[in-house]
Amino acid sequence: MPEVKSIIREVLPKQGQLHMEDVPTMVLCKPKLLPLKSVTLEKLEKMQMEAQEAVKQQELAMKELSQ
């Protein structure tokens, strides 16, 4: 099969409007790092730990008084 080279010329209109199609493309952004625990959750956990420690200290004080 012989190779046929055809030349395609670009034709621009001299009158009227020229339309150009803009194809949207994906834009990649840096990933955003999210905290594993929220600040509120950390505060609640801290309050819970402090309350548990206070209860343990009270229990130890009660044991020492009863002995």
Side-chain angles (χ1 to χ4, degrees), residues 4-66:
V4 177
K5 292 185 179 182
S6 61
I7 298 175
I8 299 175
R9 293 184 341 169
E10 184 177 297
V11 179
L12 295 175
K14 301 220 188 284
Q15 294 182 346
Q17 296 180 353
L18 176 63
H19 292 279
M20 187 172 185
E21 187 175 331
D22 186 24
V23 180
T25 58
M26 300 266 303
V27 177
L28 298 177
C29 301
K30 286 184 176 179
K32 294 182 179 169
L33 298 177
L34 298 174
L36 295 177
K37 292 184 179 180
S38 68
V39 175
T40 309
L41 181 61
E42 288 180 359
K43 286 181 183 178
L44 287 173
E45 286 179 346
K46 183 179 177 184
M47 288 172 53
Q48 186 177 12
M49 291 294 291
E50 289 172 354
Q52 286 178 350
E53 288 176 16
V55 169
K56 285 181 184 178
Q57 288 176 357
Q58 286 178 354
E59 287 177 353
L60 288 174
M62 293 296 281
K63 284 183 182 178
E64 288 177 1
L65 289 176
S66 64

